[in-house]
Amino acid sequence: EGRTFWSEYTDHIYVDGEVAFCVEPGQLVDSNASYSASRYNDAQKARIEDIAYVGWHLSNKTDEDYIATQYMIWEALGATLNSTSYTGYSAKKRQIQNKIDLLFDTRPSFAGDTINLKVGESITLTDTNGVFQYYSQTSKSTGLTVSKSGNRLTITASAAAPENATVVYQRIQNSLVGTTMLYSAVNSQDCIISRHEDPGQIVIRLNVEKYGSLKIAKQDEDGTYVPDTTFKVSANADMSDPIGTYT
């Protein structure tokens, strides 16, 4: 059922020192209420989590960011914004929604790719979808050097890297991965601390080429290749400790 609400301003809500959001529009806060915590399971849970993540956690955390995020959460719950003194809400709402669509409907263009990379060389991957800028690294194989700049990822492999290496990034910041909790009380405003259970990981796989190839041939003074020639190969100039003999 829809509910209409009017707001001149919205104070920030805190639970144990952390910013929270109201999920019961129209209900006042009773400062003497006794709250209990439980897992949040509303039908709009996923939508609300996306709004809170983009609207607040990826924002500059201004008062306008908080108000816009709170309004969008109320609207997701079926309420109708009747009036507000925040004249920039419509534009802010579009901005938040566009970023939600980008972040949660699109993956980096190189997600799931397998890259061939030689030891000592670097490769730069560019996300043509423009979403990688919001991702953070969670793990990488030993022997890899990784640097990120906006939508570009540069990977360098050293001899210490395994032949099958990986780099893992995720959409949701580590500190915000978890369960969204509801804090409720009788005759007082219910609120949530929002999290995402799915971190949205992507894996870039690398085939690290550690060994090169060598072709050896013998030619006579006329430049003709001499068949059935045997070569001894060593890493040392005096040919000590040969690697092997090859024909």
Side-chain angles (χ1 to χ4, degrees):
E1 65 188 49
R3 286 165 289 179
T4 300
F5 66 95
W6 175 93
S7 181
E8 180 66 24
Y9 62 90
T10 300
D11 287 332
H12 293 206
I13 301 170
Y14 294 89
V15 174
D16 295 331
E18 185 171 351
V19 170
F21 292 94
C22 167
V23 289
E24 195 175 11
Q27 176 64 52
L28 298 177
V29 174
D30 180 356
S31 59
N32 296 315
S34 178
Y35 278 81
S36 61
S38 62
R39 183 187 180 99
Y40 186 54
N41 287 311
D42 189 89
Q44 296 300 316
K45 172 177 172 289
R47 167 72 175 155
I48 289 169
E49 289 171 344
D50 291 352
I51 292 170
Y53 187 73
V54 172
W56 179 248
H57 294 296
L58 291 188
S59 73
N60 293 323
K61 296 181 172 61
T62 65
D63 289 344
E64 288 78 11
D65 293 322
Y66 184 85
I67 293 169
T69 302
Q70 181 63 85
Y71 287 177
M72 288 184 71
I73 288 173
W74 282 338
E75 289 179 326
L77 291 167
T80 300
L81 179 60
N82 184 51
S83 178
T84 177
S85 61
Y86 178 27
T87 57
Y89 174 55
S90 293
K92 190 72 169 179
K93 179 181 177 180
R94 285 193 300 272
Q95 181 186 66
I96 293 171
Q97 186 58 56
N98 288 341
K99 190 177 287 188
I100 288 173
D101 293 342
L102 174 66
L103 188 58
F104 292 100
D105 293 345
T106 310
R107 282 160 39 101
S109 56
F110 49 74
D113 283 359
T114 299
I115 309 298
N116 295 321
L117 185 61
K118 295 179 180 178
V119 166
E121 293 187 353
S122 299
I123 188 169
T124 297
L125 308 175
T126 300
D127 172 29
T128 56
N129 292 333
V131 71
F132 185 64
Q133 59 186 303
Y134 303 112
Y135 279 61
S136 55
Q137 182 188 314
T138 59
S139 67
K140 65 180 179 67
S141 296
T142 302
L144 296 181
T145 300
V146 177
S147 64
K148 175 177 176 283
S149 177
N151 287 307
R152 295 163 63 89
L153 175 66
T154 301
I155 306 172
T156 305
S158 72
E163 291 184 21
N164 297 308
T166 59
V167 177
V168 181
Y169 274 77
Q170 66 186 41
R171 177 194 301 124
I172 305 299
Q173 299 168 15
N174 261 336
S175 61
L176 298 171
V177 175
T179 301
T180 296
M181 298 301 295
L182 171 70
Y183 297 85
S184 57
V186 177
N187 297 323
S188 191
Q189 192 177 84
D190 290 353
C191 58
I192 60 165
I193 290 181
S194 181
R195 295 287 187 268
H196 272 81
E197 294 183 10
D198 179 5
Q201 288 189 341
I202 62 167
V203 180
I204 301 109
R205 294 177 172 82
L206 298 105
N207 294 325
V208 180
E209 300 175 8
K210 294 191 168 189
Y211 307 102
S213 60
L214 178 67
K215 290 184 178 180
I216 307 174
K218 181 178 180 180
Q219 294 175 289
D220 61 21
E221 58 187 16
D222 297 322
T224 302
Y225 287 102
V226 179
D228 302 321
T229 304
T230 299
F231 299 91
K232 183 181 290 186
V233 179
S234 171
N236 304 310
D238 62 2
M239 296 303 295
S240 60
D241 298 321
I243 297 170
T245 301
Y246 304 91
T247 301

